[in-house]
Every structure is written in structure tokens, then in C-alpha cells.
Amino acid sequence: MNRLENKVAIVTGAAGGMGAAIAKLFATEGAKVMATDIQEEKLKEWVLAARKEGLPVEFETHDVCSEKDWQKVINKTVSLFGKINILINNAGVYPVGATSETTTTADWERIIGINATGPFTGSRLCVPYFRSAGGGSVVHISSIAGLVGGNGPAYTASKGALRLLTKDQAVELAKDNIRVNSIHPGGVLTPMTEFLISTPGSEDLLKNMCPLGRIGTAMEIAYGALYLASDEASYTTGAELVIDGGLTAR
């Protein structure tokens, strides 16, 4: 408990799945949390329930492709909580079955925009606030698709971009005590992936791909984010935390 005491965090893509798990865990661990998502009703529902439990969580509708929305979220966070210490770039989109032939230029730009440009924009705009707070922690939620191929051209490219954006920002911002790390989840059961295991045999296929023999949970990713966001990781920057049950170890 209280591993994030006196910290203020922004968590994107927090209407459900990994984002909601991260936001709830951070609030439980003492952080004041601004949870954001484009899905307003889903976001609002759990945030209001969390408030009734005494958790310090606020919410804001947020399109991560919009710089104007990013500034709105940042301004509201600072207005309510006085500072920003942590940014979790979790919002993302995954196009099922996409190939180079089926991916249009518009598809490519949309996926890159949400998965890579959005995190860049948010982290760029948060830098002055991290500086004024004496430092900060950015966690980009990438994917094992940022390490290996086979997940569609735009998605793989976007997650690979996020992996190397992490390293570049880690080098650049170290002088300001701003740490930047990435998490690379494997198969994790979330609303975005539920449909992937809805067809007969697909769940067994996913389990057999992973040496631990099961699908991951959103909370297992949340605990990785908690470590990287906390002062326990004060000497960790530019790192890739792979949480995939050993899938990429083969």
C-alpha cells in the first residue's frame, strides 16, 4: 500500500482492461489518478463506483490523437491535483487479421496515430510539468508486437515505434530525472482481446503458445506498471518489461 503516495498519474485508455486495472491499482496505492478514454460512459461508470469506495480518481473524455484533448486533460489534472508525476500511455487499437494488402493508408495513419503519435504527444506536453515536479515517470504500453512480427503491419510498426520512442526519450530526459520505460504484454484477457478467444480452439492455441500455459490478466500488467511508476524503479529507464508468460522466450 501507498507505493505511489503523493503522486499524481494520468492513465489513458482507462475505460476497461489494462487501463482501468492500472488506474484502480494506482489509486489504491495512494496516487491521485486522472483516468481518460474516448469511451466516456464505460469510463464514467467505474470511476464513479471507485469514488464511492473512497478512491481519488477523476475522469476526462480523451482522444489521444488530439493535441487539444491532451492539453485539456493536462490542464484539468494540474487544476485538480496541482502537479503531474506519472503518465501511463495505455490507449491503443488492434486491427484483427490486418495484412499489408488489406491495410489502407487511412488504416495505417489511424493506427499509428493512436498507438504511437498519441503517446508521443502526451509525453511531450507533460515534460514541463514533470520538470516542475522534480522528475517523473512515463510508461508506454507497447506489446510483444514491438519485439517480433506477425501482428499486422501498422500495429507492429506502431508498437515498435513506441519501443524505440521509449529509449530515445529515456536518454533525452534523464537529465531532468524523468524516467521512460515500456511494457510489452503478450496475450492478456481484456475487452479488446476477448473476441480473439471466442472462436473454438483459439483459447487453447493461445495457451499452448505460452510456456506458462495460460492467458495473462490485466492486473498482471498493472503491477508491472506500478513498479515502473514508483520510486522503487528510480534506477530504471529505457527498459523493456516483457510480461508475456514466456511467449517470446521460445
Side-chain angles (χ1 to χ4, degrees), residues 144-163:
I144 57 169
L147 306 172
V148 297
N151 288 278
Y155 185 77
T156 300
S158 69
K159 294 301 186 177
L162 204 50
R163 171 177 174 257

Side-chain angles (χ1 to χ4, degrees), residues 26-153:
F26 280 22
T28 301
E29 290 289 344
K32 294 180 176 65
V33 178
M34 177 62 70
T36 82
D37 203 291
I38 201 166
Q39 302 176 80
E40 182 178 7
E41 290 306 312
K42 284 184 65 179
L43 178 65
K44 181 179 179 180
E45 182 179 0
W46 81 253
V47 169
L48 293 181
R51 283 187 197 164
K52 290 180 180 178
E53 297 173 6
L55 294 179
V57 185
E58 296 288 338
F59 71 93
E60 184 59 64
T61 308
H62 182 195
D63 175 359
V64 296
C65 292
S66 165
E67 185 164 336
K68 182 179 178 181
D69 270 17
W70 269 110
Q71 199 62 67
K72 174 186 68 174
V73 166
I74 289 168
N75 290 345
K76 183 173 180 178
T77 303
V78 174
S79 175
L80 289 172
F81 301 136
K83 60 179 180 176
I84 302 171
N85 306 103
I86 299 162
L87 172 62
I88 308 297
N89 279 311
N90 171 73
V93 61
Y94 177 64
V96 182
T99 68
S100 291
E101 288 183 293
T102 63
T103 300
T104 66
T105 300
D107 293 333
W108 173 275
E109 291 175 348
R110 181 178 69 89
I111 294 161
I112 296 292
I114 294 169
N115 292 356
T117 308
F120 165 71
T121 302
S123 51
R124 173 176 64 83
L125 293 175
C126 280
V127 165
Y129 298 92
F130 291 143
R131 270 202 205 101
S132 65
S137 173
V138 178
V139 180
H140 294 307
I141 307 297
S142 181
S143 166
I144 57 169
L147 306 172
V148 297
N151 288 278

Side-chain angles (χ1 to χ4, degrees), residues 80-246:
L80 289 172
F81 301 136
K83 60 179 180 176
I84 302 171
N85 306 103
I86 299 162
L87 172 62
I88 308 297
N89 279 311
N90 171 73
V93 61
Y94 177 64
V96 182
T99 68
S100 291
E101 288 183 293
T102 63
T103 300
T104 66
T105 300
D107 293 333
W108 173 275
E109 291 175 348
R110 181 178 69 89
I111 294 161
I112 296 292
I114 294 169
N115 292 356
T117 308
F120 165 71
T121 302
S123 51
R124 173 176 64 83
L125 293 175
C126 280
V127 165
Y129 298 92
F130 291 143
R131 270 202 205 101
S132 65
S137 173
V138 178
V139 180
H140 294 307
I141 307 297
S142 181
S143 166
I144 57 169
L147 306 172
V148 297
N151 288 278
Y155 185 77
T156 300
S158 69
K159 294 301 186 177
L162 204 50
R163 171 177 174 257
L164 286 179
L165 172 65
T166 297
K167 295 186 183 303
D168 195 78
Q169 289 181 327
V171 172
E172 174 195 343
L173 300 172
K175 66 183 184 303
D176 296 308
N177 193 33
I178 300 169
R179 298 182 297 102
V180 188
N181 295 287
S182 59
I183 292 180
H184 300 261
V188 177
L189 185 59
T190 70
M192 192 168 76
T193 60
E194 281 176 348
F195 63 89
L196 293 175
I197 61 172
S198 61
T199 56
S202 57
E203 184 172 2
D204 288 338
L205 177 63
L206 283 171
K207 288 178 178 179
N208 291 336
M209 288 172 62
C210 167
L212 286 183
R214 64 178 178 83
I215 297 168
T217 69
M219 280 302 295
E220 287 173 313
I221 308 305
Y223 276 110
L226 173 61
Y227 165 69
L228 292 174
S230 75
D231 291 339
E232 296 163 16
S234 57
Y235 197 55
T236 303
T237 195
E240 302 166 8
L241 178 55
V242 179
I243 309 177
D244 69 349

